[in-house]
Amino acid sequence: MKTKNFIVSFLILLLVSSTGIMLEISLSRLFSYMLSYHFVFIIIAFTLFGLGIGEMSYYRWSWVRSKARIFYDVLPFSILFSFILLVSLNKSGIFATPSFNLIINILMAVLPFIAIGVVKADIFHTQRTKAAWLYSMDLAGSAGGALLTVFILNNLGLLKAFLISYVLLAVAGLLSWSSFSGKKNQPYLRGVIWIILVAFLGWAGFWAYNFNPSISKDNDKDMLRLMSNPAIKSRIIETEWNSFGKTDLVELTNPDGSSKKVMFVDGAAGTTLVSIEEIENNKGEHAHQFAHFPATFGLNLLKEKEKDSVLIIGPGGGVDMAATWLLNFSQIDAVEINPSFVSLMEKYNPSTFTQKDNIAVYVQEGRNFVRETKNRYDVVMLTIPVTKGGRGADFYGLSENYLFTREAVKDYLNVLTPEGRLIFTMHNATEVYKMLSNYLELMETRGIDGATALLNVFIYSNEMMPVLIIRKIPFEKNETETNHILAHQYNLDRETFFIPNIQQLEADTLVENINYQWYMFDRLIYGISQNEFDYKQLSEAAVLNLEPVDDDSPYFFNYENGIPNSLMTLFIFSLIVMGWLIFMTARGWKFSQELIPETRKKLNFLAFVVFVLGICYFFVQSYLFQVLNLQLSNPAQSFSLLLFTFLLGNGLGSFYTGLFRRNFLLKAGLYSLLVAIVMVAVRVFIMPGFAVDGISQPLMVVLLLIPAFFIGIPFPSILKEVSGEQEHLLPLFLGISSLVSMATAVMVIVISMLWGYSYVLWLGVIGYIIVALSLVLFYRKNLKVSKNA
C-alpha cells in the first residue's frame, strides 16, 4: 500500500483497532444469548487466532502482500457477511449438532478478524520506521473501542454496535481510497462505486434485515425449552440489549388459562415476576407463590426483633422482596446487577420494585455492594442468583462466581448484626456442600473446628431447592428442637437436611434381600458435626470437585476435577498452537535468504522473546483484571474500564518507546525487569491492603496505569529493533504475539482453575525476568563482539 503520508495509516489503524475490540465484545454478548457461556469463551479466543492468521498470512505469502488493497475493501463486508450468517444459520437450525454448530460459529466469527489482521500487518509493513508509534495507536484504538462499546450497548443496543462497527470499517476503507493514486480518476471512480455498494448493503443488512437471533439447542437455555413446549402459549413482551446481555420478559400461558410473566437473561435463568399487589388481593396467590419458595420457612422462624433489615442479592422477579415485605421487615434492600432487569421490573412489576417506601433497589454487583455498605442487616439472602451467562470477552466464567467464595462469606458475615444470618437457597446438595466447605474453611482460619462451626448451621430441603442458613452465633438447643419439629411437619426434611444439637436417627433393614439404609440427617454433614471426619476429607474423597473456592480461583460452578471437558478441546488446540510456535522458532523461521547467519540467529532469538513476552503480557494482564474487578460495581463495565485503562497505559508506554534512538534490546530487557519488580510490589505490598480497605476508582486507574505503562515498552522496543532488518518482518512478530495471546487466554483459565491467579502472576513475573536476562545477556554479548571487531 503506497500512502501519501503516515497520518492516514495511523487513522486507519486507530479505526480497525477500535472496531476489533468493539466486535469482540459485541460477539461475546451475541453468543452469550445464543450459546452456553463456555462456548462464548471458546469463540472469542478464536477471534484472536483469526487476527494472528491474518498477520501471519501477510508475512508468509507474497500474494497477500501484493493484494493487501483488497482486504481494505472487504473490511466492512466481512462484518456484514459474518453478522448475517451468524444470525441466519443459527435461526435456520441447519447445523443443529452442537459440535458442528460451534465450528460454524467459530468460522463466521473469525472472518472479520482475519481481514483486520492483514490490514494491520500491511500498515506496520508500510510504515515500519514508525513501529512503536503505530503500536501505540493500535493500543489507543483498542482502549477507546472498549469504552465506546459499553456506551453503545447500554444506550443503543447490540444491533447498533454491529452497525457502528460496519461504519467504522467503511470509513477506514474510504481513507484507504483517498490515500491511493492511479491513472487519472479511475481509482476514485471505483471508490465511488465501492461507497454506493457499502451504503446499499449496510442498509439491507442492518435495517431491512430482521435482527432476531435465536437460541441454539442448549439444555442451559430455559427460555428455549419453555417457549418450545407446545402445551404452553408464549410471547415475548419486551426485550432489552445492553452490555450485560439480552433481557427478555416473556408471558407464558398454561392450558388451564393461568399465566405468568418470566424474565430471562441471555435466554437462561428464568425468574417469575411476583407482584406484592396481586398477592395482597389474592390470598390463593399468596399460598401458591410461597409454597414453592422454601426460604420463607427460614424467614418465618425469625423473631420480630430480627426483622429490622434484610439485604437481598439478586432479587430476580421479586419473590424474596415480596416474602420479606409480607413478613413485616422494616427495611428491604435489594441489589441487582443487570440494569435492564431493574428497568423492566419497575415497568411491569412496580408494586414490588418501586411503590413501597421500605424497599430500595440498587443496580450494582452484589459483592461490591456488600464491601462498600455501612449498613448492618439481620438477614442477607441469596436465592440461586445464577445467570448462566458469560461476562467479559476474555474470561471464562460467570459474573456470580464471586458471590460464592470463602472471602464472600466473610464479607456477608461482616455486614450482619450480632444475631444475623445468611440464607442461601441453592439448586442441589452439591452446591450446599461446596458453600459449606467455604464456610468451614473460613472458620478454620479463625481457629474454629468443623463441629463447633456447624452449631451455627441449619439446612433443610423440599427435595428441589435446599436452603443453607448460617447464623453469626450458634443456634440454641430450644431453637433447634422447635425448628426440627417444624421442618418435619412441613416436609422440609428431604435429602440435604441437618439441624445442630439433634441426635441422628437411622434405620438399617433387610427387605427381600435388599439392604435399605435411612438417615434422618445428611450423613456426611452430620459426620463432620460429630468430628468423625472433616470437610477436607469429604472434598478429597468426592468424585465431584467440592473444594472450597476463594477469590484467587473463583470457579464455584466448576464441579469437575482437573481441566473441565468444555475446555479440553480448546486447551489441546492451544497446546498445538504453542507447540507449533516453539517448533518454528527452534527450527528457524523462513527469513530472506539474503540474511547473514548472525542476523538470522538474532531474529530467531527475538521471535522466541516475543513468544515469551506474549505469554507474560497476558498472564500479568489477567491477574490485574482479576484482583481489580471486585472493586468495580458492574462486571461488563468493569471489564471495559479495566481494559481501557490497561491498553491506554500500554499505549503511553509504546509512545514513549517511539522516542528511543538506540540500544532497543537493552531497554526492552531493563523495562521487562522493571515490570517484574513492579508486579511483585503490587502483589506483596499493595493488593493485601486493598483487599481489606477497598480502593477508589481513581486510585484503581493509577494503580493499573503504572504497571501498564512499563508493560507497554518491551514489545514495541523489539519491533523497532527488527523494523530495519527485513521489509515484511513486523507482521511475523505481530502474528506470533496474536497467536500466543489466543493460546495464553486458555492457559490462564486452566492455571487459575487448578492453582489460582496468584500462580498466573508468578509465572508472568518469572517470564519477564527470563526475558530481561536473555535480552541483557544478548546485548552484552553482541556489544563485546562489535568491540572486538
Side-chain angles (χ1 to χ4, degrees):
M1 173 183 173
K2 296 179 180 179
T3 56
K4 294 178 180 178
N5 53 64
F6 67 88
I7 294 178
V8 175
S9 297
F10 274 29
L11 291 175
I12 294 174
L13 184 60
L14 180 68
L15 288 170
V16 297
S17 299
S18 300
T19 306
I21 198 70
M22 184 182 300
L23 188 59
E24 188 178 334
I25 297 174
S26 299
L27 283 171
S28 73
R29 299 279 56 80
L30 178 63
F31 286 126
S32 287
Y33 173 70
M34 295 195 304
L35 307 170
S36 290
Y37 64 92
H38 50 274
F39 290 142
V40 177
F41 174 77
I42 291 173
I43 295 173
I44 296 305
F46 267 95
T47 62
L48 295 173
F49 181 72
L51 199 64
I53 290 297
E55 292 161 341
M56 282 288 191
S57 298
Y58 188 92
Y59 166 75
R60 181 65 180 82
W61 292 304
S62 59
W63 69 267
V64 176
R65 293 193 294 274
S66 64
K67 302 294 183 182
R69 176 72 189 89
I70 297 175
F71 288 89
Y72 289 82
D73 291 343
V74 304
L75 274 176
F77 303 121
S78 67
I79 283 187
L80 183 63
F81 179 75
S82 174
F83 170 76
I84 296 295
L85 283 182
L86 279 172
V87 176
S88 301
L89 292 177
N90 280 280
K91 189 183 298 184
S92 69
I94 296 174
F95 306 106
T97 305
S99 57
F100 194 37
N101 186 43
L102 178 62
I103 294 172
I104 296 300
N105 282 313
I106 288 173
L107 292 175
M108 293 301 100
V110 163
L111 283 176
F113 290 90
I114 294 176
I116 290 173
V118 171
V119 169
K120 290 175 70 173
D122 185 62
I123 293 173
F124 273 88
H125 166 60
T126 56
Q127 300 292 339
R128 54 190 172 277
T129 58
K130 305 291 191 302
W133 286 338
L134 283 173
Y135 191 64
S136 174
M137 187 61 67
D138 183 17
L139 294 167
S142 297
L147 280 188
L148 180 62
T149 307
V150 172
F151 174 82
I152 294 171
L153 290 173
N154 286 336
N155 295 279
L156 301 176
L158 184 65
L159 178 61
K160 297 293 174 53
F162 281 105
L163 173 60
I164 291 173
S165 299
Y166 178 81
V167 171
L168 290 178
L169 289 188
V171 173
L174 185 61
L175 285 173
S176 73
W177 275 103
S178 70
S179 65
F180 277 87
S181 61
K183 295 181 180 180
K184 297 183 181 180
N185 294 325
Q186 186 180 359
Y188 297 103
L189 179 60
R190 292 202 304 267
V192 171
I193 296 173
W194 177 84
I195 292 172
I196 294 173
L197 189 61
V198 167
F200 173 75
L201 292 178
W203 170 83
F206 293 104
W207 293 109
Y209 179 75
N210 180 25
F211 175 66
N212 184 25
S214 61
I215 303 172
S216 300
K217 291 184 178 179
D218 192 318
N219 293 331
D220 286 334
K221 300 297 186 178
D222 307 323
M223 180 176 165
L224 176 67
R225 186 181 69 255
L226 289 171
M227 295 189 72
S228 300
N229 188 340
I232 300 175
K233 294 181 180 180
S234 61
R235 69 181 182 95
I236 297 177
I237 298 173
E238 192 167 339
T239 294
E240 283 191 15
W241 285 95
N242 63 9
S243 59
F244 192 84
K246 184 173 186 278
T247 305
D248 292 289
L249 178 60
V250 179
E251 184 177 54
L252 302 173
T253 304
N254 297 314
D256 62 2
S258 62
S259 65
K260 62 181 179 180
K261 295 183 180 70
V262 183
M263 191 82 77
F264 298 93
V265 180
D266 285 337
T271 176
T272 303
L273 273 65
V274 177
S275 168
I276 292 177
E277 182 180 13
E278 291 181 7
I279 292 174
E280 287 181 309
N281 296 333
N282 186 343
K283 297 303 180 182
E285 180 68 15
H286 182 291
H288 172 75
Q289 290 290 349
F290 298 119
H292 303 284
F293 184 57
T296 305
F297 176 76
L299 294 170
N300 271 308
L301 298 176
L302 296 171
K303 302 172 184 176
E304 287 303 315
K305 66 177 182 179
E306 297 175 320
K307 297 181 181 180
D308 291 330
S309 58
V310 58
L311 173 63
I312 300 168
I313 299 177
V319 64
D320 311 66
M321 299 160 70
T324 50
W325 191 85
L326 291 167
L327 288 171
N328 300 316
F329 275 77
S330 301
Q331 179 59 39
I332 302 166
D333 290 344
V335 184
E336 171 57 47
I337 192 173
N338 185 356
S340 290
F341 212 111
V342 174
S343 65
L344 289 174
M345 286 292 98
E346 290 175 345
K347 183 177 180 180
Y348 292 96
N349 192 11
S351 69
T352 304
F353 274 73
T354 62
Q355 294 177 357
K356 305 302 179 186
D357 294 335
N358 64 332
I359 296 179
V361 181
Y362 301 89
V363 180
Q364 194 171 342
E365 192 275 324
R367 176 81 179 281
N368 181 267
F369 179 90
V370 168
R371 289 160 64 92
E372 290 183 352
T373 186
K374 303 300 181 183
N375 299 331
R376 292 296 174 264
Y377 296 95
D378 292 308
V379 178
V380 174
M381 295 180 66
L382 293 92
T383 302
I384 48 177
V386 181
T387 63
K388 298 181 183 176
R391 302 288 165 251
D394 289 306
F395 298 98
Y396 175 94
L398 302 171
S399 57
E400 56 270 7
N401 269 327
Y402 282 108
L403 295 176
F404 302 111
T405 65
R406 183 191 65 208
E407 293 87 347
V409 176
K410 179 181 177 181
D411 290 338
Y412 302 149
L413 291 173
N414 286 341
V415 299
L416 288 177
T417 57
E419 295 182 351
R421 65 193 67 193
L422 310 178
I423 300 180
F424 296 97
T425 304
M426 315 301 282
H427 286 99
N428 49 51
T430 305
E431 290 182 4
V432 173
Y433 292 148
K434 203 158 187 176
M435 181 55 70
L436 199 58
S437 293
N438 289 340
Y439 170 67
L440 294 175
E441 185 173 83
L442 174 65
M443 292 298 101
E444 187 178 83
T445 62
R446 298 177 176 180
I448 301 173
D449 63 27
T452 304
L454 283 175
L455 293 174
N456 301 45
V457 173
F458 174 24
I459 304 170
Y460 61 89
S461 173
N462 63 358
E463 206 168 21
M464 292 289 291
M465 294 184 291
V467 175
L468 167 64
I469 298 178
I470 300 174
R471 198 177 179 190
K472 205 164 184 180
I473 59 175
F475 286 96
E476 296 178 1
K477 177 72 173 176
N478 62 334
E479 286 182 287
T480 57
E481 289 176 346
T482 302
N483 295 348
H484 178 215
I485 295 171
L486 291 172
H488 285 301
Q489 289 178 347
Y490 287 98
N491 295 318
L492 294 172
D493 53 357
R494 313 294 176 85
E495 293 186 347
T496 316
F497 182 43
F498 171 78
I499 301 178
N501 299 316
I502 303 294
Q503 186 69 32
Q504 170 80 293
L505 296 180
E506 57 186 86
D508 190 345
T509 185
L510 194 67
V511 179
E512 295 183 356
N513 295 322
I514 299 177
N515 182 240
Y516 289 93
Q517 292 182 323
W518 172 84
Y519 299 91
M520 181 174 66
F521 294 139
D522 185 287
R523 228 178 134 187
L524 299 174
I525 298 174
Y526 186 80
I528 297 173
S529 73
Q530 300 302 306
N531 280 325
E532 295 176 11
F533 50 84
D534 61 28
Y535 72 95
K536 292 181 180 178
Q537 291 173 299
L538 171 61
S539 300
E540 291 170 358
V543 176
L544 298 175
N545 174 18
L546 299 180
E547 291 290 332
V549 180
D550 57 37
D551 287 346
D552 196 44
S553 183
Y555 301 100
F556 181 84
F557 295 101
N558 173 34
Y559 297 117
E560 298 180 57
N561 291 302
I563 302 173
N565 290 331
S566 57
L567 267 182
M568 186 58 71
T569 301
L570 189 56
F571 177 67
I572 294 173
F573 182 79
S574 300
L575 290 178
I576 292 172
V577 171
M578 283 198 166
W580 178 77
L581 290 171
I582 293 172
F583 170 76
M584 291 298 295
T585 303
R587 189 197 69 171
W589 294 90
K590 292 183 179 180
F591 303 117
S592 171
Q593 298 299 320
E594 300 174 359
L595 295 176
I596 60 175
E598 288 76 11
T599 302
R600 192 182 302 279
K601 289 180 181 179
K602 172 185 173 182
L603 293 177
N604 275 308
F605 165 73
L606 293 181
F608 173 74
V609 169
V610 167
F611 172 79
V612 178
L613 269 179
I615 296 174
C616 301
Y617 176 91
F618 216 101
F619 277 4
V620 170
Q621 179 201 47
S622 300
Y623 170 78
L624 286 171
F625 281 22
Q626 184 266 339
V627 296
L628 292 174
N629 189 56
L630 269 176
Q631 308 298 332
L632 300 173
S633 60
N634 183 298
Q637 293 180 9
S638 298
F639 171 77
S640 297
L641 180 59
L642 292 173
L643 187 59
F644 168 79
T645 305
F646 188 77
L647 292 175
L648 178 63
N650 293 164
L652 293 173
S654 183
F655 185 83
Y656 169 70
T657 306
L659 304 176
F660 294 169
R661 293 292 176 264
R662 60 182 184 276
N663 300 333
F664 302 126
L665 297 186
L666 176 62
K667 290 175 181 176
L670 293 177
Y671 278 103
S672 294
L673 182 61
L674 187 56
V675 170
I677 294 171
V678 168
M679 290 310 304
V680 170
V682 167
R683 175 66 177 84
V684 176
F685 300 109
I686 298 177
M687 287 305 173
F690 290 137
V692 176
D693 302 325
I695 177 176
S696 65
Q697 287 197 19
L699 187 56
M700 181 279 296
V701 170
V702 173
L703 179 65
L704 190 55
L705 270 178
I706 293 174
F709 175 82
F710 296 120
I711 290 169
I713 294 175
F715 181 58
S717 297
I718 293 176
L719 293 183
K720 291 198 71 170
E721 176 70 22
V722 303
S723 60
E725 297 289 358
Q726 190 179 353
E727 280 196 354
H728 54 276
L729 201 59
L730 291 184
L732 168 64
F733 285 84
L734 291 172
I736 292 173
S737 180
S738 295
L739 292 178
V740 167
S741 295
M742 173 266 169
T744 307
V746 182
M747 299 300 170
V748 165
I749 302 305
V750 171
I751 294 171
S752 62
M753 276 187 169
L754 297 179
W755 300 292
Y757 276 98
S758 293
Y759 282 85
V760 172
L761 170 67
W762 293 123
L763 287 173
V765 167
I766 292 170
Y768 271 111
I769 293 173
I770 292 173
V771 168
L773 293 176
S774 300
L775 287 172
V776 171
L777 291 175
F778 183 84
Y779 174 81
R780 290 186 62 184
K781 178 181 177 181
N782 282 271
L783 182 64
K784 184 176 180 180
V785 170
S786 61
K787 285 182 177 180
N788 292 336

